[in-house]
Amino acid sequence: MTTASKPPRQSPLKVDPATDKLISQGAHFLGLTKKDLVAEAVRVYLDQRREDLREGMVEALSVLDGSLKSDVMLLTGLTSEEIDAVGGIDE
């Protein structure tokens, strides 16, 4: 028996009033829904920033080595030396 997976739940996007006005005007004049305009804009923006995304992912992955210390470094932004200076981490 296979279980049908549920589609992801949609979540509201909260933006400031000035941005909402821009989205509304842009969607109106482009003949799109606000939802479609935002979706397309995000896709275009992330495509333009693809190299920045890649660099961020590579940097994050280079920190992770499977240890608790690497997890703490990634989550806190502390260096290995800074963690050791405050008592280190018991693995």
Side-chain angles (χ1 to χ4, degrees):
M1 181 167 115
T2 59
T3 306
S5 62
K6 295 180 183 177
R9 192 184 80 181
Q10 291 187 4
S11 57
L13 178 65
K14 297 182 192 291
V15 297
D16 62 88
T19 301
D20 185 59
K21 186 174 180 179
L22 287 173
I23 293 168
S24 295
Q25 290 174 346
H28 172 76
F29 290 113
L30 292 171
L32 300 170
T33 65
K34 289 170 62 172
K35 178 180 167 181
D36 289 342
L37 175 64
V38 170
E40 185 175 339
V42 169
R43 279 192 296 276
V44 169
Y45 180 79
L46 292 177
D47 189 52
Q48 290 175 349
R49 306 278 315 264
R50 186 176 309 276
E51 184 58 26
D52 296 330
L53 285 169
R54 190 193 68 73
E55 288 173 8
M57 288 186 284
V58 168
E59 182 179 334
L61 289 173
S62 70
V63 173
L64 295 174
D65 62 7
S67 69
L68 178 58
K69 188 176 199 177
S70 69
D71 292 347
V72 172
M73 289 170 55
L74 184 61
L75 291 171
T76 64
L78 296 173
T79 65
S80 178
E81 294 76 21
E82 290 170 326
I83 292 171
D84 292 340
V86 295
I89 295 176
D90 294 332
E91 291 286 335

